[in-house]
Amino acid sequence: MSNIPDDLNFASTHEWVRINEDGTATVGISDHAQDALGDIVFVELPEPGSTVIAKNEVAVVESVKAASDIYSPVSGEITTVNEVLIDAPETVNSSPYENGWFYKMTLSDDAELDDLMDADAYSDHCEDE
Amino acid sequence: MGQHTSLYQNHLDAGAKMVDFAGWDMPINYGSQIEEHTQVRTAAGMFDVSHMTVVDVSGKDAEKFLRYLLANDIAKLDECGRALYSAMLNHEGGVIDDLIVYRMSFGYRVVLNCATRQKDLQWLTAISQDFNVIIDEKPELAILAVHGPLAIEKLCETLPEHAERIQQLGNFRGFEDGTWFIARTGYTGEKGIELIFPEGEASELWNKLLAGGTKPVGLGARDTLRLEAGMNLYGHDMDETVSPLAANMGQTIAWDPPGRDFVGKSTLEAAQRLQASGGLPQLVGLVLEQRGVLREGQPVHTDKGEGIITSGSFSPTLKHSIALARIPLDSESCRVDMRGTLTEVRIVKPNFVRFGKKVYE
């Protein structure tokens, strides 16, 4: 059983969103996703300042097994990317919810959060897969 | 539910992530493929490959039969225990399977791929009709491969009764002891041993090796290890539609003595002429030193024409991507279509890592 923190929202494509105290969002991929991908060897991150649209490709993860697109769970502007992942992509495997975050962003439409799953719904979603 | 080897429970106990492999539930990794890969390059790892097909060949015509069946010549096996790698071709000169054959006290032992088991057995049976041979599949045998710079030392500590003979083994040589067969063969580019023995004894040996510090290695790392060693994987780097001459297997075709006939020989001679005129592609190594991972199926564009990647992955030893690719002969420059982006890669000999070290120029 994979680890699913209950303070996050999840997309069906296995990305998570954390709403920070200042209203910005942090995005990463779930424990279930990193486990399915296997050892991650490269992460291609978006440019800070770029605009992303919910459900569109925003990053690429290359694991020993395959290349996978990462979709932004919400729309907005990228403010910061996690540069640790450039030299230590395995951080996503070891700490998917903390040190292995992908990027931080401002939200352009808070209502999009309602389209995401809570921890319970995401847990069911993983089991159904 | 798939078939289980006798080590199934041992895999679960070691935390394996199990996947379907040609109808067998096999361990893909025990946590981290990269750590397991590094374990084999720097210490000792063990692989359960009991799903592979073991066939014993005996009878009056065993030698004659195998000399006709296989593209390499088992007459080279001048003493018991010696091993030979060979392609098994169809009449059109395509590769039905690749295999290892050992000379045994009773005749020969052939180890074939698991995914091709059914068609291999049908082919063996069909070709054997004209020979006085007994073909005996041995599903009751386990195969455990123990590989890495410390593998032989670890194995000798675990099997003191066999230690002296194991230490004396040269590469591609083995010995029988009762129902056990122990040989210096493998698929990793490291020193190591393969043990073929009754499956009822497999769990005990596994646990002893584990207690001695030999770590379990899954099929994921087995694939990156063999790719670094430039070894072909059947169904990826070659199959029935591919000539062994276009799969870097030319050295395994025994043209001498010229009087020996073997299955696929006449079409192989035609392929050889085609190769001499540049009409046959070659299997090469590709190296990508920047970020990104080369993958099987990606199209390759060279100065001489088009090709394709047949195996590609991240090399945990070299820390960048490597691949095997089939491209036009004498290509000098090469670009790979990686998810829509053309990326320049280097063409090298298809052999990247041996004994833990980079070996291409």
Side-chain angles (χ1 to χ4, degrees):
Chain A
M1 198 52 226
S2 68
N3 171 23
I4 305 178
D6 57 13
D7 61 330
L8 305 181
N9 291 307
F10 295 87
S12 59
T13 45
H14 305 285
E15 297 83 7
W16 56 259
V17 186
R18 177 181 289 124
I19 302 300
N20 304 308
E21 281 176 15
D22 60 1
T24 62
T26 305
V27 174
I29 66 169
S30 73
D31 186 38
H32 176 87
Q34 70 77 21
D35 186 57
L37 288 166
D39 291 305
I40 291 168
V41 295
F42 296 110
V43 179
E44 209 176 286
L45 293 164
E47 288 291 323
S50 60
T51 305
V52 292
I53 297 166
K55 298 180 185 170
N56 281 19
E57 294 159 23
V58 64
V60 179
V61 171
E62 296 259 15
S63 75
V64 284
K65 228 161 81 179
S68 306
D69 289 318
I70 304 303
Y71 303 93
S72 190
V74 284
S75 307
E77 187 183 318
I78 307 286
T79 55
T80 321
V81 298
N82 186 2
E83 289 182 359
V84 166
L85 304 188
I86 295 168
D87 289 327
E90 66 277 10
T91 311
V92 180
N93 293 116
S94 57
S95 179
Y97 298 117
E98 299 298 334
N99 302 333
W101 59 277
F102 277 45
Y103 56 88
K104 296 186 182 186
M105 64 186 294
T106 56
L107 295 174
S108 60
D109 182 4
D110 287 354
E112 284 175 351
L113 292 169
D114 299 337
D115 297 338
L116 300 173
M117 289 176 264
D118 64 13
D120 282 347
Y122 180 64
S123 173
D124 291 345
H125 173 71
C126 291
E127 271 176 37
D128 288 346
E129 268 197 344
Chain B
M1 196 180 80
Q3 296 190 74
H4 292 172
T5 73
S6 59
L7 290 168
Y8 179 75
Q9 189 57 48
N10 303 72
H11 298 314
L12 297 185
D13 293 346
K17 183 170 179 180
M18 305 298 282
V19 296
D20 173 68
F21 183 84
W24 292 75
D25 290 338
M26 297 300 289
I28 185 78
N29 65 59
Y30 303 82
S32 167
Q33 175 177 333
I34 290 180
E35 281 172 24
E36 290 158 29
H37 180 112
T38 306
Q39 174 75 18
V40 175
R41 288 275 178 254
T42 59
M46 57 179 163
F47 312 75
D48 174 19
V49 285
S50 306
H51 59 309
M52 294 186 79
T53 305
V54 179
V55 176
D56 285 350
V57 179
S58 58
K60 188 166 72 69
D61 291 342
E63 182 181 352
K64 222 166 102 186
F65 164 62
L66 289 170
R67 291 192 77 192
Y68 178 65
L69 179 79
L70 302 177
N72 210 337
D73 188 0
I74 57 128
K76 293 175 188 170
L77 301 179
D78 56 6
E79 57 186 27
C80 272
R82 282 199 70 174
L84 187 75
Y85 174 76
S86 181
M88 179 165 78
L89 304 178
N90 58 27
H91 292 299
E92 292 72 44
V95 185
I96 293 180
D97 202 2
D98 65 335
L99 53 85
I100 295 275
V101 56
Y102 300 98
R103 184 162 161 196
M104 306 288 281
S105 57
F106 54 80
Y108 297 89
R109 171 164 287 168
V110 185
V111 181
L112 301 131
N113 280 300
C114 148
T116 47
R117 174 184 169 272
Q118 202 172 0
K119 69 165 187 174
D120 288 350
L121 292 175
Q122 280 170 356
W123 186 254
L124 285 170
T125 307
I127 300 295
S128 72
Q129 295 310 308
D130 297 331
F131 298 89
N132 185 354
V133 291
I134 300 158
I135 289 172
D136 185 14
E137 193 190 0
K138 295 288 190 188
E140 69 276 17
L141 294 177
I143 310 180
L144 195 67
V146 187
H147 276 246
L150 304 180
I152 292 177
E153 189 185 317
K154 295 275 183 197
L155 196 62
C156 289
E157 285 168 15
T158 310
L159 296 172
E161 66 275 29
H162 296 302
E164 200 183 330
R165 292 187 78 181
I166 290 173
Q167 277 157 351
Q168 286 166 356
L169 281 178
N171 199 22
F172 266 66
R173 282 177 162 72
F175 66 89
E176 288 169 72
D177 188 342
T179 51
W180 283 53
F181 180 66
I182 298 175
R184 271 279 306 274
T185 47
Y187 196 48
T188 62
E190 293 298 326
K191 278 187 185 167
I193 296 286
E194 287 179 310
L195 302 106
I196 308 179
F197 60 111
E199 62 177 6
E201 297 172 56
S203 183
E204 190 190 339
L205 177 59
W206 175 276
N207 289 333
K208 279 187 186 167
L209 284 164
L210 202 58
T214 301
K215 293 192 178 153
V217 183
L219 293 183
R222 185 169 167 84
D223 190 48
T224 44
L225 287 160
R226 71 89 196 169
L227 179 60
E228 283 186 350
M231 294 170 177
N232 289 0
L233 176 59
Y234 190 80
H236 299 260
D237 305 305
M238 75 296 199
D239 59 30
E240 291 187 28
T241 67
V242 175
S243 169
L245 299 176
N248 196 33
M249 295 171 76
Q251 293 301 316
T252 73
I253 313 290
W255 296 104
D256 289 321
R260 180 180 74 106
D261 189 25
F262 58 89
V263 178
K265 186 179 183 184
S266 55
T267 39
L268 213 51
E269 283 165 344
Q272 204 179 27
R273 288 190 292 274
L274 194 63
Q275 187 179 42
S277 65
L280 202 67
Q282 59 174 346
L283 193 72
V284 298
L286 300 182
V287 171
L288 174 69
E289 273 148 359
Q290 65 196 74
R291 297 166 62 83
V293 182
L294 303 167
R295 306 281 183 188
E296 180 178 351
Q298 284 174 341
V300 176
H301 308 279
T302 82
D303 55 314
K304 301 284 193 299
E306 308 304 301
I308 193 157
I309 290 183
T310 55
S311 286
S313 192
F314 177 77
S315 159
T317 307
L318 302 168
K319 315 272 187 239
H320 57 69
S321 184
I322 55 171
L324 298 176
R326 188 165 293 109
I327 62 172
L329 198 67
D330 299 328
S331 294
E332 282 167 10
S333 67
C334 184
R335 288 185 301 166
V336 177
D337 186 343
M338 296 175 69
R339 298 158 57 83
T341 310
L342 284 181
T343 307
E344 194 85 25
V345 295
R346 216 143 59 80
I347 303 171
V348 301
K349 283 188 181 148
N351 182 9
F352 306 94
V353 178
R354 279 292 148 110
F355 307 122
K357 299 270 187 306
K358 170 179 163 179
V359 285
Y360 63 90
E361 45 54 69

